[in-house]
Amino acid sequence: MMTQPRTTRTERAYRHLMDEMLRGRWQAGDIVSAYGLAEELSISRTPVVEALKRLESEGLVEIIPQVGCRIVRPTPQALNELFSVRAALEGLAAAAAAREIDDDGLAQLELTLRRLEEAAERGDRGAYAQLNQSFHLLIADASGMPRLAETARSSVWVPLSYQLARLEVTDAQLRESGAEHRELYEALRRRTARRARAAAERHARLAAARFAGDGELPRHGELTHRALVYDQESEFLASTVPFVQDGLAADERVLVVTTSHNAEVLGNALGGQADEVEFRDSAEWYQLPSHTLLSYERYVEEADRKRVRVVGEVAWTGETSAPMSEWIRYESILNAAFALQPISIVCPYDARKLPDHILAGAGRTHPELCSGTDVVHSPDYVEVNSLIRELDREGLEEPAGPTVDCPITPDLRDVREFILQRAHTAGLSGKSIQDTFLAVQEVAANVIVHGAGQGTMRSWLQDGELLYEIRDEGAGVGDPLIGQFASDPALMTEPRGLWLARLLCDLVEVRTHDRGLVVRLHISLD
């Protein structure tokens, strides 16, 4: 008679223990006999002990020599470790799945997501837990990496399911988690590997913050984003001076982007340490949100894994090329764009100069508020997806003058002629007309390739600018970061039009809603 290898018997014992724990056979503090388990499973005591050691490493039991184990209560530290491993594995899996997943896989994922959202809506926590695990393991299976998928299943989700089953989950937590699942699904549907990886990692990190109690994830690879509202110079210095000095003491790369006056007073307060700080003028740095995001992305990359510390004061009332509403979006998008990046940002707001709605927006776009060296969570903070959807409902102002319209159909020849005719009429020439043609054509092509397959375009002149507006009556955009960063060159299916447009145009405004997507492109005639 053939006997099972020890590794197989150990795995059998481990899964049996986990199944019984999930069913509630034992509670925290209960003693479980290794001899009794071995007899129950008709195996020797050795694989049972090996299974108990594995459970101990996962923080689920405490081994009692010569007896067995004691069931322990899940700890924040154990949860954090599981979520950290999960973030790494599922981030990698999501990026791979964005390349590998087929239409059938997407359909199954969408069905699971819909059932997951329905379970959350009716407050069915048991069904939600099962569907939640299924959703994530479907993505792992779609990665095309079976070893990764099995590791995620056995080493993460088996112990994590037990830990989460012992926690109380609120309706608000279910809703928050649901929005993150939808964001991840949209990134996979659009086959954007970078966004899928960021969404998966961010979801795991946010889940840890929700469920891990007092335990905290390591901060080195995480964004901290704080607003500083000040109405006198001393308040500005009380926060920025220790913030900068702490960064220098930790050997971080420190960048200060502020007004020339604030740069001078901060430099004087720092004394000789000012030579270790990089200063930039806010009026030059904060011209366009997309360009500013790119500048910060490059700055973080150039730091070569060293943590970056930034004092970043938007030129709200300066010579910025974007309206205030776009900078509010920018401040919110920062939270998603750099969620897992090693960067700490303090954003000063001068209450003496800024309107009330901008000051109110500081609390809604920054997870934390600071005053002096004190830091508190912002009670008004709104998660990026929710805030962008809210801002999108405000729409765009209607043109002040007459417009000229052109339908967008799969044959783009008429669209190309329309773009050039409008550019020539407006007086563009040379490189300006080439850049305009490329930007507008790419956004229009996205309507055909990634949208509903048809749409409309209109153009008009206003305030020294030529404007093109593309409307796609499709499903809109689930990812607020779409087009904010360069596309992955390996993914030919990833939409690039918005990214190119943000580089080539003076301003790009995007609004998405249930009926589709609106993109407005601004080209200066100066």
Side-chain angles (χ1 to χ4, degrees):
M1 180 178 177
M2 295 183 63
T3 59
Q4 293 178 322
R6 177 180 294 179
T7 53
T8 303
R9 296 196 299 273
T10 300
E11 184 66 25
R12 179 184 165 204
Y14 174 83
R15 290 187 177 276
H16 174 76
L17 282 160
M18 284 302 310
D19 288 343
E20 294 300 301
M21 290 167 71
L22 284 170
R23 279 196 285 266
R25 176 177 173 182
W26 303 297
Q27 302 300 319
D30 288 351
I31 303 296
V32 181
S33 167
Y35 296 97
L37 287 171
E39 183 177 349
E40 186 176 326
L41 294 171
S42 299
I43 58 177
S44 68
R45 183 172 171 271
T46 299
V48 171
V49 171
E50 290 174 348
L52 293 178
K53 288 179 179 178
R54 180 173 168 185
L55 288 168
E56 184 179 48
S57 71
E58 293 166 351
L60 302 182
V61 305
E62 175 189 355
I63 290 182
I64 303 174
Q66 306 303 317
V67 176
C69 71
R70 177 185 291 111
I71 305 296
V72 301
R73 190 177 303 279
T75 64
Q77 292 74 22
L79 267 177
N80 271 320
E81 182 179 1
L82 278 173
F83 276 115
S84 294
V85 174
R86 175 182 159 187
L89 288 176
E90 293 192 351
L92 181 60
R99 301 182 179 96
E100 301 293 335
I101 195 166
D102 57 21
D103 291 343
D104 289 341
L106 279 172
Q108 187 177 5
L109 193 64
E110 182 182 21
L111 177 61
T112 304
L113 176 59
R114 189 161 62 247
R115 290 174 175 170
L116 184 64
E117 292 170 337
E118 291 170 353
E121 185 66 26
R122 64 177 184 267
D124 188 340
R125 285 157 176 72
Y128 187 94
Q130 292 180 356
L131 290 163
N132 179 45
Q133 179 173 335
S134 296
F135 178 83
H136 288 284
L137 292 179
L138 281 172
I139 296 172
D141 289 336
S143 69
M145 293 186 283
R147 290 184 181 86
L148 184 151
E150 178 54 31
T151 301
R153 180 173 280 103
S154 60
S155 298
V156 174
W157 276 101
V158 170
L160 186 59
S161 296
Y162 170 75
Q163 299 255 29
L164 294 179
R166 297 295 178 271
L167 301 175
E168 292 188 8
V169 181
T170 67
D171 291 341
Q173 288 171 332
L174 290 182
R175 289 192 296 271
E176 291 169 4
S177 183
E180 293 156 21
H181 289 140
R182 174 62 61 177
E183 179 188 5
L184 175 54
Y185 167 75
E186 289 295 335
L188 291 168
R189 184 175 69 84
R190 296 176 183 277
R191 304 186 187 280
T192 52
R194 186 209 296 256
R195 296 279 70 80
R197 181 168 193 162
E201 292 175 343
R202 184 164 57 251
H203 172 49
R205 296 272 177 170
L206 291 174
R210 280 192 290 270
F211 299 124
D214 295 331
E216 292 189 1
L217 288 166
R219 302 291 296 187
H220 177 75
E222 248 179 42
L223 167 74
T224 62
H225 190 204
R226 301 167 184 167
L228 163 63
V229 179
Y230 68 96
D231 59 14
Q232 50 188 332
E233 194 174 280
S234 59
E235 291 178 346
F236 172 81
L237 293 175
S239 289
T240 56
V241 170
F243 178 76
V244 168
Q245 289 176 333
D246 287 348
L248 294 176
D251 193 31
E252 298 175 356
R253 190 177 181 188
V254 180
L255 171 68
V256 173
V257 186
T258 186
T259 64
S260 57
H261 174 75
N262 281 347
E264 181 179 358
V265 298
L266 178 57
N268 290 336
L270 290 170
Q273 289 182 303
D275 294 336
E276 303 175 57
V277 178
E278 299 174 67
F279 287 89
R280 297 287 187 276
D281 185 79
S282 57
E284 296 178 1
W285 188 273
Y286 291 101
Q287 277 291 307
L288 287 170
S290 56
H291 291 189
T292 302
L293 282 170
L294 178 60
S295 296
Y296 277 130
E297 183 183 30
R298 288 174 174 169
Y299 195 86
V300 172
E301 289 177 350
E302 289 169 2
D304 193 24
R305 300 180 183 175
K306 179 185 290 188
R307 189 167 185 87
V308 169
R309 190 168 289 229
V310 175
V311 175
E313 187 164 14
V314 174
W316 295 97
T317 57
E319 296 299 320
T320 176
S321 299
M324 287 187 179
S325 61
E326 292 301 306
W327 288 110
I328 293 175
R329 290 169 175 270
Y330 155 83
E331 289 280 29
S332 180
I333 287 171
L334 271 180
N335 298 302
F338 296 103
L340 298 176
Q341 295 296 318
I343 179 170
S344 301
I345 309 176
V346 165
C347 300
Y349 285 70
D350 191 339
R352 298 166 297 185
K353 300 178 180 179
L354 298 177
D356 290 342
H357 75 280
I358 296 298
L359 296 176
R364 304 186 76 212
T365 56
H366 294 74
E368 298 176 340
L369 306 175
C370 63
S371 176
T373 56
D374 295 331
V375 178
V376 297
H377 291 290
S378 172
D380 301 320
Y381 175 69
V382 181
E383 187 271 334
V384 57
N385 284 333
S386 298
L387 184 58
I388 295 301
R389 284 194 293 269
E390 177 186 327
L391 296 174
D392 279 352
R393 286 195 290 270
E394 299 175 2
L396 294 166
E397 292 185 6
E398 281 299 306
T403 66
V404 182
D405 299 347
C406 176
I408 300 174
T409 62
D411 184 353
L412 290 173
R413 285 178 295 182
D414 290 343
V415 169
R416 296 187 181 103
E417 291 178 6
F418 177 81
I419 297 169
L420 290 172
Q421 184 272 327
R422 292 295 299 165
H424 283 298
T425 301
L428 295 180
S429 61
K431 187 176 185 299
S432 294
I433 204 168
Q434 293 174 6
D435 289 348
T436 298
F437 177 75
L438 177 58
V440 182
Q441 176 191 246
E442 284 295 315
V443 175
N446 277 350
V447 171
I448 305 301
V449 178
H450 303 287
Q454 60 183 7
T456 59
M457 180 187 298
R458 61 177 178 171
S459 177
W460 67 97
L461 298 173
Q462 183 174 316
D463 298 331
E465 291 183 326
L466 170 63
L467 293 97
Y468 294 87
E469 184 180 274
I470 292 92
R471 288 181 174 267
D472 164 25
E473 301 300 326
V477 177
D479 184 357
L481 299 182
I482 194 73
Q484 294 288 353
F485 292 106
S487 302
D488 188 337
L491 295 173
M492 298 307 295
T493 58
E494 185 171 342
R496 304 168 188 272
L498 283 175
W499 164 248
L500 288 173
R502 292 185 194 278
L503 289 181
L504 298 174
C505 297
D506 291 283
L507 175 64
V508 177
E509 296 175 285
V510 179
R511 302 291 184 268
T512 184
H513 48 78
D514 293 341
R515 299 182 306 280
L517 180 71
V518 180
V519 181
R520 186 174 289 184
L521 312 175
H522 297 243
I523 295 96
S524 175
L525 301 179
D526 294 339

